């Protein structure tokens, strides 16, 4: 009992270190130290576990640790900086399979209660999904597999069937722990599910997937913890599980996507049929907080001011945002349309007041050719001067007028108070484009809110 | 197609209709460009620069006028000059078509296609040809600076060891293109800026430049589809005068830019209002040359009335002739470009085009603009 | 009663997990992911017990494999994270 | 076992509600709902407890609840809005005595292990301190007691002796649970300690003290939880204990004080002797985050710009801070010294560029007479023009020159990069004043950091 | 083993308590204090057991007193907090 | 004690030494104030305003001069006027003591206490009396505006439908009080501003106003304890000329304010630099009247050289005479106030006071200022 108490209290200490470590990892100044702190926690947890009296034979442990340690260290040292994300995916997969194996092994050590059986099945299930899912993610990222979404007709039905099958097998197995077939089925099917879930997702979305799978692997560890009745697994696993979800969310926002959009957009591509028909969808609103995540991750931003910036007297805040973005490592330029505002040079007057350098003010003709290269175009109270109808809609009164082609940027944020039209009184198809988000509200307030979000 | 650009004759006019860089663009588009010798001197462009741009320089003014397929200039021509033009040629300039009926008739009789720069419509698409706007905008800037050099005070507030200098107040009546630029310029210099206009959409625009809008309730006022003001009733004008009185008395500089398209500008600052201003104050009457908004202003001159300086110099953009030329020239180029037929390498008047439809006054021996036709007949 | 304790612990850990991660700058997304991935290698602790407990041969084999995999996850994870973060450090100094 | 499990799982639910409630209480938009959520949690916890099989007799419970409920409700309804803080103090005291009583009662229900004895003593101890400490705080706030610090010679020694006595009695009691004398001694002495700890603290500091005592009452509940082995008490108690500490910290910062300064300043007043001798102390540096807490709580702020604002080109950020403070409900004005900067009107040029309204620019003579009324004076890169030596030090080269008397404001923040002198090259005693804090760094950066801190 | 569970729970709760309160605007300091004070009235739950368990008469008396005090704390605390917060609400609307 | 304020005689001078509100303050302090009739007209102050302030108005200039215990004025007096002063009286004005030796001698011989406004020390405490600064600051503002009205371009950048107008470049040589204000004004108007000064502390000040500082390595340069520049060696001046050449050629407006206290201003813009500027460019030579920084500038006039306008008008603060008067008057008031003995209700020269010590040139028949004494002997 003495050792056990010691072991467990050490686990408490390890958990404290994990908590500090995670917290510190979230801020640039402390991240590296945080990683170290959490590593120390892990070290303590592992060492005290070895003292556990139920461990009789260290031989196999030594073998496992040696093999794993060497592989891990060598790979971690040799991998190129550019292939880090796929490496993380791979490691994550190993974590998953380990949980699966621990859950499996737990079957043999004890007489499992129903509750434990459930947790064992869960750890196998989640572990399996994590394992194969991560492997696929690794494959896509390392370009050992095609990066594009792999989809086939009926995929959705297949997956639903698969999930039902897994549930059925799990239930059967939990009720008849002796029938290994069910066990193997659960293992096999959950591995298959991992594959199926990840293949329809495009390579560009893999980081989000890995983050999600990372969260899963935490949950798998947590389930394994329940299975073998080990609190540190439960605590550390659920910490990772929960923080992983948050991180996934943050990463989605930084890509200006929703999680379900990431996970299921592959399917809908199939469901929607082959042709990329032009859809006049709904305008999508966005909050300042979400805009922050995208801007924070952007490395080039073009700001397109219009009359609304003048009305809101937002020029100073615009400058402030420019500086924050620049400090954050992004390139920021302004694209000034010749008729923006209500008098010639309106934007110049305001931006000069805010002391925006003349060098950053680009004419429409200078900025349009490289519009595709901008991560975000922020349209601040402009409307007519960014109206793609001038390019696309032959009947329009402004057809033929050159406009700033913000719709060609990767993301477009439009700040205005409503869906109202501008001076020319014509509707603006820009607001309905796939890559456009509306930030409704007074431009100055909206900008201040975004600035606030930059912690 | 031969484009001819004669020198401007008005005395003191330093602007030029086409600057070398636009001449080059026209040549590149396939036009032949002929200029009168010494064309750009007033704005600092030598003949050589035009030659380098691909234009030919001709000393004989008559030759320029009589051979051109398109004549590009700033001021309206004399009737004699119209008589020298080729039949079928296109003539682009300010024309003042509401008042210059004889001129219009002469164009009609000469079978010349006369384009009036004043009549360019005010759509979003046509702004790049809109010389009224481009020149008015410069005028707004110039008027403030002229006023400033006449005022025995500085515009910005200064808290100094030798006491605090209060900011000067600038009151701008009429916040169209010129008025807005005047607001911006005065504001930049640190003045307190107040403005008034009869069109109520303008209030927001004034505020968007950091100015204060003077609220006077005039009842129903309006604006045309081109954004011009509708003339006030006499009653409304009286209300306006009453409402402005106090503001004028408190202001150091008053700048009037109020115009009603196609009519004589209204009188908005009366003699007693002038007398009510502090000694040393300054008034700029933008429209002094066409009648003026200010009682006592003299066209083309700066006068002192009751200790108040009234500036009515006019031709404001000419003070910054180089930039004014650049903008006017760009307006003309865009206009020619709008009518340019790449196949024929010629300027063609397409009456389907809403811009040309608006600004062409005479064509093939007819007055084609409805408003003007009604005025003259 | 144990289940109650476990429920509390689970609940508190999850909440804490949610609260711990706030705004993370984009540059830290990958390191943070990798760092927390390393923590999820805590399965290693479970694996150790399985591998060393000598319940059945199968369990030992499974356990040993689990130890190996989990160790890769732990060692590799921490080291990779550290390498990434070291790089940022340098960038900042420069 | 069934009920017990149910009860305990309900406790989990109650804890979840407490957590949500606390979180929501921290933000204006959700605070009221948060309070409700936590009340629901409390309701659940109480109701399910009544199901507990160990409760045999509901009579006394009913009596207690009825009496307490009626008193609580009546008092809560009738108390004037202005006396809220003292009410909170009183309630807090009741929470403390309740914990004391629970701990005490726990002595009789079971054979307590040593561990439990320790927790029982702790709950009695902390409960007692909370109880009497809160009563004193109540007395001071409601002006039933003199608000000024009550100090006497030897107070410090007395307190130390008291603490030693308490520890001794506690140990004795834990070892001999049957000797009631020890128990009564512990109770009595801890109540005395509560009194002694709070009387030397001034009335103005009471909010901080209450917040701290609130944290204590959480810990008391937590200790009681250990004593009677009730998890919800442990969880809720430690949540309150920890969050209370943070809140106390925040409140200290908002008063520009450190906690130890609040708790022990009364003593040092005695220790330092009667006379308020002018001390040329050390300059006290402050972080942007801490400045935020003070500014957030300020209701009138005067900004004094100088040449440093110009050098840092901080005018736009200054304007931004002005707007944020105004939005936060504070009055903000600028005090412009005639010779600030390096040319006549230097500050005017810059502030006009940032579009600061002329009406907010006050001359020195207009602002000096009301300097005492400002919660904070922010000196931004000014030095000579706020140098009190001009008023105080006869020999000084600037003696006799009128300066802006920022040192008379309640708090003074001086933003500059170092302790270097200004144009006139003379030292500035302002930096060493009691109420001055130095915010070292480039003015623009420092201001941006403060702005960032405004969430 | 129970003590381990309790240690974990205590540790996690304390961390969570620290994390929950971040930046609180000055106007909310008092309500927040009052609201969390109400939560610390959770002692009521303990008091209930003491008062109802009929161990000894003294314990019952102590328990009943504890119930009364704790109830004041809980009921009064929540109501006062709500009153304060209701006031803010109005101010914001105005 | 009688303070006398005679009219300013210099032609075109509109400023006034004491404005009514300061006269009132002086009266309230116990002084009798006597002004020459018509004193404030140039700046818009009527005699009545002075009377309301408690001053007496006297038509006879000689009476004002000969009866006053303290004479307050702007320009230096003529020698004849000095002869009319009471022995023992205090005379405050600009004196140009480095050059006007005869004047100083006249003061000495007349037993007048002469205070030179130029010699007010430049300590933080004395700034409120420092008229050089207050007037120079206004000069900086005026020079930019005068230049702007002569330039055929606008200063700010404008991106308009008629093309983009590039911002004008303004180059300011000498960034003392006047130069800094010029930088601020040009910057406000939206110009690109570059400045140069030999004192290197100035670079930061220039940047603090949003201007760019032109870096030229001149080796060791210095400044006096009063913050004035030390004269450059000839070699250094050549380096400076070389370094500025390109910047001048690229600039639309050049404003020179470079002075060395007590010496003739250095020539910093040579003939060929002027010729190298774009046609239409403008130069303002602040010091044209005392020799000038620009070759070709004419004292008191605006001339055109090689297509470049050179403004050498001088007396810049006089353009904003009302504000200039307010500031100068405030400087004088503060000076009198500094020496005012409340008991005696009189101005007393206390040589312990470092400010008076610096600016008093003659006293009781002696030249008391060391620098000037050495110059004259
Ligand atoms: N440059 C010139 O000289 C000149 C002169 C006259 C006319 N124009 C015309 O003006 C137009 C200029 O185009 P533009 O894109 O600059 O302006 P715009 O097309 O008029 O659009 C301005 C937009 O700003 C939004 N807005 C207004 N106040 C706002 C606030 N406080 N916060 C956020 N958004 C606000 C409005 O939408 P919500 O109402 O939904 O907020 C409006 O749609 C052109 O059509 C041009 O022809 C130009
Ligand atoms: N107004 C005029 O016309 C005029 C003309 C000439 C001289 N002066 C003289 O200038 C002085 C003006 O007084 P003042 O209080 O405005 O200025 P000051 O006394 O010169 O003090 C300015 C302070 O700003 C700090 N600073 C400089 N750069 C900074 C930055 N980037 N961020 C933060 N702080 C910065 C400096 O301290 P650190 O180095 O520690 O940061 C310095 O102590 C008076 O002595 C006046 O006589 C005035
Ligand atoms: N569509 C475009 O892109 C475009 C192009 C140029 C101008 N505009 C718009 O056209 C409008 C008018 O332009 P403008 O400057 O050439 O007009 P303008 O020169 O005809 O008149 C000047 C101003 O005087 C005002 N005014 C008339 N009577 C007045 C009175 N009694 N008191 C006070 N003010 C009076 C007018 O409302 C106008 O604002 C502007 O609002 C401008 O924005 C639009
Ligand atoms: N202590 C005070 O409070 C106070 C008051 C007024 C002025 N000052 C300081 O005194 C200094 C000088 O003031 P000023 O404007 O009256 O000086 P000034 O009129 O004597 O000279 C104007 C400027 O010309 C510069 N200059 C001289 N030779 C030059 C050359 N060859 N090339 C370029 N520049 C040259 C000088 O350095 C100076 O900045 C300023 O820095 C000002 O800040 C201080």
């Amino acid at each position: 009992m003495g050792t056990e108490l010691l072991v467990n209290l050490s686990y408490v200490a390890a958990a404290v270190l994990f908590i500090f470590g995670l917290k510190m990892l979230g801020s640039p100044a402390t991240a590296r130290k945080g990683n170290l702190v959490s590593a120390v926690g892990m070290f303590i947890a592992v060492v005290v576990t070895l003292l556990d009296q139920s461990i009789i034979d260290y031989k196999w442990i030594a073998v496992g640790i040696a093999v794993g340690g060497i592989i891990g260290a060598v790979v971690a040292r040799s991998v190129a900086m550019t292939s880090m994300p796929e490496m993380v995916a791979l490691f994550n997969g190993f974590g998953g399979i380990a949980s699966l194996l621990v859950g499996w092994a737990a079957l043999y050590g004890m007489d499992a209660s129903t509750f434990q059986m459930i947790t064992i099945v869960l750890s196998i299930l989640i572990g399996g999904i994590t394992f194969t899912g991560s492997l696929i993610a690794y494959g896509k990222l390392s370009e050992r597999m095609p990066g594009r979404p792999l989809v086939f007709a009926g995929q959705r039905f297949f997956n639903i069937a698969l999930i039902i099958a897994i549930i059925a097998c799990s239930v059967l197995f939990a009720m008849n722990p002796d029938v290994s077939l069910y066990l193997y089925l659960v293992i096999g099917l959950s591995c298959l599910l991992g594959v199926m879930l990840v293949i329809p997702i495009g390579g560009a979305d893999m980081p989000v997937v890995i983050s999600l799978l990372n969260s899963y692997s935490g949950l798998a560890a947590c389930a394994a913890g329940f299975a073998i009745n080990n609190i540190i697994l439960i605590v550390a696993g659920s910490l990772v599980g929960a923080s992983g979800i948050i991180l996934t969310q943050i990463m989605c926002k930084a890509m200006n996507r929703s999680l379900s959009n990431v996970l299921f957009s592959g399917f809908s591509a199939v469901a929607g049929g082959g042709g990329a028909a032009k859809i006049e969808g709904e305008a999508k609103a966005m909050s300042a907080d979400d805009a922050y995540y995208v801007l924070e991750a952007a490395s080039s931003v073009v700001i397109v001011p219009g009359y609304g910036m003048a009305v809101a007297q937002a020029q100073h805040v615009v400058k402030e945002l420019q500086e924050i973005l620049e400090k954050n490592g992004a390139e920021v330029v302004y694209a000034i349309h010749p008729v923006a505002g209500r008098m010639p040079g309106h934007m110049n007057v305001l931006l000069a007041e805010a002391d925006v350098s003349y060098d950053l003010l680009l004419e429409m003709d200078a900025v349009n050719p490289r519009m595709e290269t901008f991560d975000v175009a922020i349209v601040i109270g402009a409307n007519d001067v960014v109206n793609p109808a001038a390019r696309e809609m032959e009947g329009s009164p402004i057809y033929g007028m050159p406009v700033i082609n913000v719709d060609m940027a990767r993301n477009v944020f439009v700040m205005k108070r409503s869906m109202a039209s501008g001076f020319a009184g014509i509707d603006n198809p820009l607001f309905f484009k796939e890559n456009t988000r509306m930030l409704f509200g007074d431009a100055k307030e909206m900008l201040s809110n975004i600035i606030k979000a930059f912690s | 197609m031969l484009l001819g650009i004669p020198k401007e004759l008005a005395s003191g006019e330093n602007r030029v209709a086409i600057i070398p860089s636009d001449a080059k663009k026209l040549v590149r588009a396939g036009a032949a460009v002929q200029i009168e010798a010494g064309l750009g001197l007033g704005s600092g462009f030598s003949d050589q620069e035009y030659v380098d741009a691909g234009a030919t320089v001709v000393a004989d003014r008559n030759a320029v006028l009589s051979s051109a397929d398109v004549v590009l200039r700033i001021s309206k021509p004399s009737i004699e000059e119209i008589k020298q033009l080729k039949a079928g040629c296109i003539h682009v300039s300010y024309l003042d078509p509401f008042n210059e009926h004889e001129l219009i008739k002469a164009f009609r009789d000469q079978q010349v296609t006369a384009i009036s720069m004043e009549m360019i419509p005010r759509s979003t698409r046509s702004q790049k040809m809109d010389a009224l706007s481009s020149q008015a905008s410069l005028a707004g800037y110039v008027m403030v600076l002229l006023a400033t050099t006449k005022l025995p005070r500085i515009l910005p507030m200064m808290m100094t060891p030798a006491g605090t200098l209060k900011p000067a107040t600038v009151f701008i009546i009429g916040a169209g293109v010129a008025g807005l630029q005047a607001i911006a310029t005065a504001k930049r210099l640190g003045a307190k800026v107040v403005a008034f206009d009869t069109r109520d959409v303008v209030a927001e625009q004034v505020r968007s430049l950091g100015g204060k809008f003077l609220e006077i309730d005039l009842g129903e006022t309006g604006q045309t589809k081109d954004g011009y003001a509708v003339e006030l009733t006499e009653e409304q004008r009286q209300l306006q005068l009453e409402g402005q009185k106090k503001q004028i008395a408190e202001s150091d500089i008053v700048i009037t830019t109020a115009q009603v398209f196609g009519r004589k500008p209204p009188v908005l600052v009366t003699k007693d209002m002038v007398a009510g201003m502090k000694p040393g104050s300054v008034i700029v009457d933008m429209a002094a040359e066409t009648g003026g908004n200010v009682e006592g202003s003299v066209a083309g001159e700066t006068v002192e009335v009751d200790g108040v300086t009234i500036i009515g110099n006019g031709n404001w953009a000419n003070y910054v002739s180089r930039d004014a030329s650049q903008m006017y020239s760009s307006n003309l180029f865009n206009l020619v470009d709008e009518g340019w037929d790449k196949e024929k390498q010629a300027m063609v008047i397409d009456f389907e085009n809403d811009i040309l439809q608006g600004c062409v006054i005479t064509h093939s021996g007819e007055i084609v603009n409805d408003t003007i036709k009604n005025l003259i007949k | 009663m144990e289940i109650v304790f476990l429920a509390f612990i689970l609940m508190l850990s999850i909440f804490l997990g949610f609260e711990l991660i706030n705004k993370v700058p984009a540059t830290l997304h990958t390191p943070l992911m990798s760092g927390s991935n390393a923590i999820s290698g805590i399965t290693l602790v479970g694996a150790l017990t399985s591998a060393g407990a000598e319940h059945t041969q199968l369990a030992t084999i499974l356990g040993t494999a689990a130890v190996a995999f989990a160790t890769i996850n732990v060692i590799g994870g921490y080291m990779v994270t550290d390498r990434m973060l070291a790089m940022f450090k340098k960038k900042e100094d420069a």
Side-chain angles (χ1 to χ4, degrees), chain A residues 84-146:
Chain A
M84 285 297 174
E86 59 222 56
M87 225 50 244
V88 175
L90 203 57
F91 290 151
N92 193 48
F94 292 159
I97 181 89
S99 292
L100 185 156
L101 294 173
V102 169
W104 186 352
L107 283 175
Y108 305 107
M110 53 185 178
D111 286 323
S113 66
T114 320
F115 176 70
Q116 274 177 322
M117 273 312 292
I118 294 173
T119 57
I120 286 176
V121 170
L122 274 177
S123 69
I124 291 176
L125 189 60
I126 308 178
I129 293 174
T130 308
F131 176 52
T132 51
S134 299
L135 286 187
I136 300 290
Y138 167 75
K140 291 207 174 200
L141 276 176
S142 64
E143 287 164 15
R144 272 162 233 269
M145 272 181 66

Side-chain angles (χ1 to χ4, degrees), chain A residues 307 339 341-342 381 383-384 416-418 423 442-443, chain B residues 124 127:
Chain A
Y307 180 57
V339 309
R342 288 290 181 274
N383 191 339
D384 297 343
K416 61 201 297 285
R417 297 162 307 180
S418 66
F423 182 87
D442 178 76
Chain B
T124 293
Q127 273 203 73

Side-chain angles (χ1 to χ4, degrees), chain A residues 92 126 130 134 197-198 201 205-219 240-241 244-249 251-252 259 262-264, chain C residues 33:
Chain A
N92 193 48
I126 308 178
T130 308
S134 299
L197 287 177
V198 179
I201 304 175
D205 288 336
M206 275 309 127
V208 173
V209 172
I210 298 176
S211 178
L212 188 66
L213 290 172
N214 175 31
S215 168
Y216 286 177
S217 76
L219 295 180
V240 171
I245 291 278
I246 298 292
L247 182 60
T248 309
Q249 206 74 28
M251 290 170 75
C252 279
L259 186 55
V262 168
L263 295 183
F264 304 123
Chain C
M33 188 161 77

Side-chain angles (χ1 to χ4, degrees), chain A residues 105-361:
Chain A
L107 283 175
Y108 305 107
M110 53 185 178
D111 286 323
S113 66
T114 320
F115 176 70
Q116 274 177 322
M117 273 312 292
I118 294 173
T119 57
I120 286 176
V121 170
L122 274 177
S123 69
I124 291 176
L125 189 60
I126 308 178
I129 293 174
T130 308
F131 176 52
T132 51
S134 299
L135 286 187
I136 300 290
Y138 167 75
K140 291 207 174 200
L141 276 176
S142 64
E143 287 164 15
R144 272 162 233 269
M145 272 181 66
R148 75 191 143 75
L150 288 179
V151 280
F152 53 86
Q155 193 166 16
R156 195 175 276 188
F157 294 102
F158 181 84
N159 283 349
I160 292 172
L162 188 57
I163 290 169
I164 293 173
I166 289 178
I167 294 175
C169 292
S170 303
V171 172
L172 285 174
F173 175 59
M175 295 191 313
N176 315 293
D178 306 329
V179 188
S180 305
L181 177 67
Y182 294 137
L183 171 66
Y184 298 142
L185 272 176
V186 170
I187 295 176
L189 290 178
S190 52
C191 287
L192 181 58
L193 183 60
V195 174
M196 294 307 295
L197 287 177
V198 179
I199 52 165
I201 304 175
D205 288 336
M206 275 309 127
V208 173
V209 172
I210 298 176
S211 178
L212 188 66
L213 290 172
N214 175 31
S215 168
Y216 286 177
S217 76
L219 295 180
C222 178
F226 276 106
I228 63 170
N229 209 340
N230 186 318
I231 314 182
I232 187 71
L233 260 69
I234 298 177
V235 171
S238 47
L239 278 175
V240 171
S243 63
I245 291 278
I246 298 292
L247 182 60
T248 309
Q249 206 74 28
I250 290 177
M251 290 170 75
C252 279
K253 284 182 177 170
M255 298 170 69
N256 200 2
R257 306 278 299 274
S258 76
L259 186 55
S260 72
N261 184 289
V262 168
L263 295 183
F264 304 123
S265 62
F267 288 121
S268 61
V270 171
K278 205 189 120 196
I279 313 150
E280 184 103 333
E282 257 181 299
K284 290 173 286 293
M286 190 190 220
S287 74
D289 271 346
D290 289 357
Y292 153 79
Y293 286 104
V294 182
L295 287 172
E296 203 276 325
S299 67
S300 58
V301 175
V302 57
I303 296 177
V304 185
Y307 180 57
M309 179 185 83
V311 172
Q313 286 285 291
Q315 61 270 30
H316 299 280
V317 215
V318 170
K319 169 73 186 293
E320 167 106 15
L321 180 65
Q322 172 209 319
E323 287 181 344
I324 288 178
L325 291 174
E326 281 172 346
K327 219 186 230 166
N328 196 37
E331 180 210 1
V332 183
V333 299
Y334 294 78
I336 313 291
H337 192 282
V339 309
R342 288 290 181 274
M343 68 164 204
H346 202 161
M347 297 301 114
N348 293 113
V349 172
L350 299 169
L351 294 176
E353 180 187 321
D355 209 23
V356 173
S357 161
Y358 282 146
D359 303 333
L360 298 182
L361 308 187

